Amino acid sequence: MIRALFPATFDPFTNGHRDIACRAAALFDEVVIGVVATPQKNVLFSVADRVEMIRATMDGVRNVSVAPYTGLTVDYARQIGASVMVRGLRVVSDFEWEFQLALMNHKLAPDLDTVCLLARGDYSFLSSTIVKEVAQYGGNVDGLVPDVVATALKNHFAPQPGQ
Ligand code: ADP
């Protein structure tokens, strides 16, 4: 039984993240999407909201669960009995950071291995940051994020009465 952890901030979850999660679910017995609650990070959505949106998006994928965590990712992986860490690789610039992260995590937890899945072409330009940037100025993010996330972004950036 191989349990894999897919950890990130997911602020917000995009269709690129969803694609990685679904492909990991086909490779491993169980996948836990770990949503990190980092108080020092400047996030748009609360951890509870991020978890809820991912749960709604992944509903129906039998072997995927979603949970928040704090602290070191390797500690959380141990706590839930995960032996694999899943990450996505988009463009070459991702590689350096992902490699550094994987080496550090391996040093901290030698029994934990990192598996990187290559982003599909359609999503290789897609990041949470760019989605937020586009949504902030009223751009259309349909098709780039799950519907529940598109609605949350629209509500978040909707002009307030009087503005
Ligand atoms: P964090 O800032 O917490 O690392 P990110 O959303 O930047 O969160 O990345 C989380 C993981 O998901 C990373 O491994 C990243 O490469 C991967 N990822 C992000 N966007 C995509 C995408 N569009 N396609 C595939 N993988 C992605």
Side-chain angles (χ1 to χ4, degrees):
M1 218 289 292
I2 298 184
R3 182 172 295 142
L5 171 65
F6 179 26
T9 315
F10 302 117
D11 184 51
F13 198 65
T14 68
N15 285 344
H17 292 130
R18 184 178 198 283
D19 183 60
I20 297 291
C22 290
R23 288 161 60 198
L27 291 171
F28 304 108
D29 300 297
E30 272 182 28
V31 175
V32 177
I33 300 179
V35 184
V36 68
T38 5
Q40 66 271 33
K41 258 199 175 179
N42 197 5
V43 288
L44 193 63
F45 296 106
S46 71
V47 69
D49 286 349
R50 281 177 276 144
V51 166
E52 198 182 301
M53 286 189 275
I54 302 171
R55 282 203 181 124
T57 304
M58 299 306 297
D59 188 35
V61 187
R62 182 190 51 82
N63 56 341
V64 173
S65 59
V66 189
Y69 76 97
T70 50
L72 271 180
T73 303
V74 291
D75 289 342
Y76 181 61
R78 266 200 207 103
Q79 191 189 314
I80 62 169
S83 53
V84 171
M85 189 107 94
V86 173
R87 299 282 291 177
L89 269 186
R90 284 161 295 185
V91 283
V92 180
S93 50
D94 267 353
F95 178 78
E96 214 172 314
W97 169 242
E98 292 298 338
F99 193 43
Q100 202 180 335
L101 205 60
L103 290 177
M104 177 53 83
N105 284 335
H106 182 70
K107 186 166 172 49
L108 295 170
D111 48 333
L112 190 72
D113 222 334
T114 298
V115 171
C116 286
L117 298 178
L118 299 183
R120 297 285 191 221
D122 285 354
Y123 305 127
S124 59
F125 66 96
L126 187 58
S127 68
S128 298
T129 306
I130 205 161
V131 159
K132 281 184 280 192
E133 193 92 1
V134 169
Q136 182 175 1
Y137 297 106
N140 184 6
V141 293
D142 292 349
L144 301 180
V145 294
D147 290 347
V148 63
V149 173
T151 304
L153 284 166
K154 273 178 201 141
N155 291 338
H156 186 89
F157 291 118
Q160 301 302 308
Q163 276 188 342

mmCIF file of all heavy atoms in Angstrom, residues 6-10 14 16-17 20 41 87-90 94 97-98 119 123-124 126-128, ligand 1:
data_model
loop_
_atom_site.group_PDB
_atom_site.id
_atom_site.type_symbol
_atom_site.label_atom_id
_atom_site.label_comp_id
_atom_site.label_asym_id
_atom_site.label_seq_id
_atom_site.Cartn_x
_atom_site.Cartn_y
_atom_site.Cartn_z
ATOM 1 N N PHE A 6 0.672 14.971 -1.685
ATOM 2 C CA PHE A 6 0.860 16.070 -2.638
ATOM 3 C C PHE A 6 0.694 17.361 -1.830
ATOM 4 O O PHE A 6 -0.427 17.783 -1.542
ATOM 5 C CB PHE A 6 -0.188 15.957 -3.764
ATOM 6 C CG PHE A 6 -0.123 17.049 -4.815
ATOM 7 C CD1 PHE A 6 1.046 17.742 -5.099
ATOM 8 C CD2 PHE A 6 -1.264 17.384 -5.547
ATOM 9 C CE1 PHE A 6 1.097 18.736 -6.073
ATOM 10 C CE2 PHE A 6 -1.235 18.376 -6.528
ATOM 11 C CZ PHE A 6 -0.053 19.054 -6.779
ATOM 12 N N PRO A 7 1.816 17.950 -1.427
ATOM 13 C CA PRO A 7 1.739 19.105 -0.531
ATOM 14 C C PRO A 7 1.950 20.433 -1.263
ATOM 15 O O PRO A 7 2.810 20.542 -2.126
ATOM 16 C CB PRO A 7 2.932 18.864 0.404
ATOM 17 C CG PRO A 7 3.959 18.210 -0.487
ATOM 18 C CD PRO A 7 3.222 17.517 -1.619
ATOM 19 N N ALA A 8 1.199 21.435 -0.916
ATOM 20 C CA ALA A 8 1.434 22.797 -1.445
ATOM 21 C C ALA A 8 0.523 23.784 -0.741
ATOM 22 O O ALA A 8 -0.301 23.395 0.110
ATOM 23 C CB ALA A 8 1.207 22.843 -2.957
ATOM 24 N N THR A 9 0.637 25.031 -1.143
ATOM 25 C CA THR A 9 -0.199 26.083 -0.563
ATOM 26 C C THR A 9 -1.580 26.086 -1.219
ATOM 27 O O THR A 9 -2.589 26.342 -0.569
ATOM 28 C CB THR A 9 0.484 27.467 -0.754
ATOM 29 O OG1 THR A 9 1.865 27.349 -0.419
ATOM 30 C CG2 THR A 9 -0.142 28.510 0.122
ATOM 31 N N PHE A 10 -1.602 25.828 -2.520
ATOM 32 C CA PHE A 10 -2.855 25.771 -3.289
ATOM 33 C C PHE A 10 -3.702 27.027 -3.066
ATOM 34 O O PHE A 10 -4.872 26.944 -2.696
ATOM 35 C CB PHE A 10 -3.676 24.519 -2.927
ATOM 36 C CG PHE A 10 -2.949 23.230 -3.150
ATOM 37 C CD1 PHE A 10 -2.654 22.381 -2.092
ATOM 38 C CD2 PHE A 10 -2.540 22.839 -4.418
ATOM 39 C CE1 PHE A 10 -1.985 21.173 -2.287
ATOM 40 C CE2 PHE A 10 -1.865 21.644 -4.629
ATOM 41 C CZ PHE A 10 -1.593 20.808 -3.552
ATOM 42 N N THR A 14 -5.542 24.999 -8.888
ATOM 43 C CA THR A 14 -5.805 25.236 -10.319
ATOM 44 C C THR A 14 -6.073 23.891 -11.015
ATOM 45 O O THR A 14 -5.884 22.826 -10.427
ATOM 46 C CB THR A 14 -4.588 25.892 -11.000
ATOM 47 O OG1 THR A 14 -3.516 24.935 -11.038
ATOM 48 C CG2 THR A 14 -4.129 27.149 -10.290
ATOM 49 N N GLY A 16 -4.190 22.736 -13.177
ATOM 50 C CA GLY A 16 -2.866 22.099 -13.243
ATOM 51 C C GLY A 16 -2.644 21.220 -12.015
ATOM 52 O O GLY A 16 -2.188 20.076 -12.117
ATOM 53 N N HIS A 17 -2.970 21.762 -10.832
ATOM 54 C CA HIS A 17 -2.872 20.968 -9.601
ATOM 55 C C HIS A 17 -3.800 19.751 -9.679
ATOM 56 O O HIS A 17 -3.447 18.651 -9.276
ATOM 57 C CB HIS A 17 -3.290 21.805 -8.380
ATOM 58 C CG HIS A 17 -2.355 22.928 -8.036
ATOM 59 N ND1 HIS A 17 -2.784 24.216 -7.828
ATOM 60 C CD2 HIS A 17 -1.010 22.956 -7.858
ATOM 61 C CE1 HIS A 17 -1.747 24.983 -7.508
ATOM 62 N NE2 HIS A 17 -0.656 24.248 -7.524
ATOM 63 N N ILE A 20 -2.367 16.974 -11.756
ATOM 64 C CA ILE A 20 -1.309 16.229 -11.050
ATOM 65 C C ILE A 20 -1.945 15.289 -10.016
ATOM 66 O O ILE A 20 -1.573 14.120 -9.895
ATOM 67 C CB ILE A 20 -0.312 17.203 -10.355
ATOM 68 C CG1 ILE A 20 0.422 18.070 -11.387
ATOM 69 C CG2 ILE A 20 0.686 16.449 -9.458
ATOM 70 C CD1 ILE A 20 1.403 17.370 -12.289
ATOM 71 N N LYS A 41 2.978 33.265 5.129
ATOM 72 C CA LYS A 41 2.757 33.468 3.698
ATOM 73 C C LYS A 41 1.540 34.347 3.482
ATOM 74 O O LYS A 41 0.532 34.209 4.165
ATOM 75 C CB LYS A 41 2.554 32.119 2.997
ATOM 76 C CG LYS A 41 3.785 31.657 2.247
ATOM 77 C CD LYS A 41 3.421 30.613 1.218
ATOM 78 C CE LYS A 41 4.620 30.221 0.369
ATOM 79 N NZ LYS A 41 4.312 29.202 -0.599
ATOM 80 N N ARG A 87 5.102 16.000 -6.619
ATOM 81 C CA ARG A 87 5.176 17.407 -7.024
ATOM 82 C C ARG A 87 4.995 17.478 -8.524
ATOM 83 O O ARG A 87 5.102 16.474 -9.218
ATOM 84 C CB ARG A 87 6.528 18.011 -6.626
ATOM 85 C CG ARG A 87 6.802 18.004 -5.135
ATOM 86 C CD ARG A 87 6.086 19.079 -4.373
ATOM 87 N NE ARG A 87 6.589 20.399 -4.672
ATOM 88 C CZ ARG A 87 6.077 21.523 -4.161
ATOM 89 N NH1 ARG A 87 5.048 21.480 -3.336
ATOM 90 N NH2 ARG A 87 6.573 22.705 -4.488
ATOM 91 N N GLY A 88 4.730 18.679 -9.020
ATOM 92 C CA GLY A 88 4.579 18.861 -10.464
ATOM 93 C C GLY A 88 5.760 19.637 -11.011
ATOM 94 O O GLY A 88 6.350 20.448 -10.300
ATOM 95 N N LEU A 89 6.106 19.386 -12.251
ATOM 96 C CA LEU A 89 7.184 20.148 -12.902
ATOM 97 C C LEU A 89 6.609 20.790 -14.152
ATOM 98 O O LEU A 89 6.138 20.102 -15.051
ATOM 99 C CB LEU A 89 8.317 19.220 -13.338
ATOM 100 C CG LEU A 89 9.475 18.943 -12.398
ATOM 101 C CD1 LEU A 89 10.519 18.128 -13.122
ATOM 102 C CD2 LEU A 89 10.090 20.217 -11.845
ATOM 103 N N ARG A 90 6.659 22.101 -14.193
ATOM 104 C CA ARG A 90 6.156 22.797 -15.371
ATOM 105 C C ARG A 90 7.319 23.120 -16.297
ATOM 106 O O ARG A 90 7.723 22.319 -17.102
ATOM 107 C CB ARG A 90 5.414 24.089 -14.954
ATOM 108 C CG ARG A 90 4.050 23.825 -14.379
ATOM 109 C CD ARG A 90 3.546 24.995 -13.587
ATOM 110 N NE ARG A 90 4.385 25.224 -12.408
ATOM 111 C CZ ARG A 90 4.145 26.103 -11.471
ATOM 112 N NH1 ARG A 90 3.120 26.890 -11.564
ATOM 113 N NH2 ARG A 90 4.943 26.215 -10.425
ATOM 114 N N ASP A 94 11.108 25.580 -12.839
ATOM 115 C CA ASP A 94 10.608 24.829 -11.675
ATOM 116 C C ASP A 94 11.657 23.852 -11.163
ATOM 117 O O ASP A 94 11.707 23.536 -9.984
ATOM 118 C CB ASP A 94 9.388 23.970 -12.067
ATOM 119 C CG ASP A 94 8.063 24.670 -11.831
ATOM 120 O OD1 ASP A 94 8.071 25.765 -11.253
ATOM 121 O OD2 ASP A 94 7.036 24.110 -12.246
ATOM 122 N N TRP A 97 14.149 24.661 -8.131
ATOM 123 C CA TRP A 97 13.499 24.713 -6.825
ATOM 124 C C TRP A 97 13.042 23.320 -6.381
ATOM 125 O O TRP A 97 13.241 22.907 -5.239
ATOM 126 C CB TRP A 97 12.317 25.691 -6.885
ATOM 127 C CG TRP A 97 11.414 25.625 -5.685
ATOM 128 C CD1 TRP A 97 10.101 25.292 -5.667
ATOM 129 C CD2 TRP A 97 11.778 25.892 -4.316
ATOM 130 N NE1 TRP A 97 9.606 25.320 -4.385
ATOM 131 C CE2 TRP A 97 10.618 25.692 -3.537
ATOM 132 C CE3 TRP A 97 12.960 26.268 -3.677
ATOM 133 C CZ2 TRP A 97 10.608 25.858 -2.147
ATOM 134 C CZ3 TRP A 97 12.947 26.429 -2.288
ATOM 135 C CH2 TRP A 97 11.786 26.224 -1.539
ATOM 136 N N GLU A 98 12.438 22.574 -7.296
ATOM 137 C CA GLU A 98 11.929 21.245 -6.942
ATOM 138 C C GLU A 98 13.082 20.298 -6.566
ATOM 139 O O GLU A 98 12.961 19.468 -5.668
ATOM 140 C CB GLU A 98 11.112 20.639 -8.094
ATOM 141 C CG GLU A 98 9.798 21.362 -8.368
ATOM 142 C CD GLU A 98 8.809 21.347 -7.188
ATOM 143 O OE1 GLU A 98 8.919 20.479 -6.316
ATOM 144 O OE2 GLU A 98 7.941 22.236 -7.151
ATOM 145 N N ALA A 119 4.112 18.494 -16.063
ATOM 146 C CA ALA A 119 2.846 19.178 -16.365
ATOM 147 C C ALA A 119 2.439 18.901 -17.801
ATOM 148 O O ALA A 119 3.282 18.793 -18.696
ATOM 149 C CB ALA A 119 3.021 20.682 -16.168
ATOM 150 N N TYR A 123 -1.302 23.074 -19.219
ATOM 151 C CA TYR A 123 -1.189 23.695 -17.897
ATOM 152 C C TYR A 123 0.218 24.173 -17.578
ATOM 153 O O TYR A 123 0.466 24.646 -16.481
ATOM 154 C CB TYR A 123 -1.637 22.697 -16.814
ATOM 155 C CG TYR A 123 -3.014 22.149 -17.036
ATOM 156 C CD1 TYR A 123 -3.253 20.777 -17.049
ATOM 157 C CD2 TYR A 123 -4.091 23.012 -17.242
ATOM 158 C CE1 TYR A 123 -4.527 20.272 -17.260
ATOM 159 C CE2 TYR A 123 -5.364 22.515 -17.453
ATOM 160 C CZ TYR A 123 -5.579 21.142 -17.461
ATOM 161 O OH TYR A 123 -6.835 20.655 -17.671
ATOM 162 N N SER A 124 1.125 24.049 -18.526
ATOM 163 C CA SER A 124 2.529 24.306 -18.189
ATOM 164 C C SER A 124 2.809 25.794 -17.957
ATOM 165 O O SER A 124 3.850 26.143 -17.420
ATOM 166 C CB SER A 124 3.458 23.737 -19.260
ATOM 167 O OG SER A 124 3.142 24.328 -20.481
ATOM 168 N N LEU A 126 0.519 27.631 -16.279
ATOM 169 C CA LEU A 126 -0.486 27.995 -15.280
ATOM 170 C C LEU A 126 0.067 27.949 -13.860
ATOM 171 O O LEU A 126 0.649 26.952 -13.445
ATOM 172 C CB LEU A 126 -1.639 26.985 -15.427
ATOM 173 C CG LEU A 126 -2.905 27.208 -14.639
ATOM 174 C CD1 LEU A 126 -3.526 28.561 -14.957
ATOM 175 C CD2 LEU A 126 -3.900 26.078 -14.955
ATOM 176 N N SER A 127 -0.126 29.047 -13.132
ATOM 177 C CA SER A 127 0.278 29.057 -11.720
ATOM 178 C C SER A 127 -0.809 29.762 -10.909
ATOM 179 O O SER A 127 -1.587 30.560 -11.453
ATOM 180 C CB SER A 127 1.601 29.802 -11.547
ATOM 181 O OG SER A 127 1.410 31.175 -11.803
ATOM 182 N N SER A 128 -0.832 29.501 -9.622
ATOM 183 C CA SER A 128 -1.795 30.168 -8.739
ATOM 184 C C SER A 128 -1.586 31.679 -8.805
ATOM 185 O O SER A 128 -2.543 32.456 -8.797
ATOM 186 C CB SER A 128 -1.616 29.689 -7.299
ATOM 187 O OG SER A 128 -1.850 28.317 -7.202
HETATM 188 P P1 ADP B 1 3.676 26.183 -3.424
HETATM 189 O O1 ADP B 1 3.870 27.694 -3.559
HETATM 190 O O2 ADP B 1 3.095 25.806 -2.123
HETATM 191 O O3 ADP B 1 4.877 25.364 -3.790
HETATM 192 P P2 ADP B 1 2.559 25.860 -6.033
HETATM 193 O O4 ADP B 1 1.155 25.957 -6.488
HETATM 194 O O5 ADP B 1 3.478 26.907 -6.550
HETATM 195 O O6 ADP B 1 2.534 25.834 -4.465
HETATM 196 O O7 ADP B 1 3.151 24.462 -6.451
HETATM 197 C C1 ADP B 1 2.776 23.257 -5.863
HETATM 198 C C2 ADP B 1 3.238 22.109 -6.734
HETATM 199 O O8 ADP B 1 2.334 21.992 -7.807
HETATM 200 C C3 ADP B 1 4.619 22.332 -7.335
HETATM 201 O O9 ADP B 1 5.290 21.102 -7.423
HETATM 202 C C4 ADP B 1 4.310 22.870 -8.693
HETATM 203 O O10 ADP B 1 5.337 22.594 -9.623
HETATM 204 C C5 ADP B 1 3.035 22.107 -9.025
HETATM 205 N N1 ADP B 1 2.224 22.863 -9.952
HETATM 206 C C6 ADP B 1 1.755 24.124 -9.812
HETATM 207 N N2 ADP B 1 1.054 24.490 -10.906
HETATM 208 C C7 ADP B 1 1.091 23.435 -11.766
HETATM 209 C C8 ADP B 1 0.580 23.202 -13.079
HETATM 210 N N3 ADP B 1 -0.071 24.131 -13.754
HETATM 211 N N4 ADP B 1 0.810 21.994 -13.653
HETATM 212 C C9 ADP B 1 1.509 21.062 -12.988
HETATM 213 N N5 ADP B 1 2.037 21.209 -11.765
HETATM 214 C C10 ADP B 1 1.828 22.389 -11.149
#
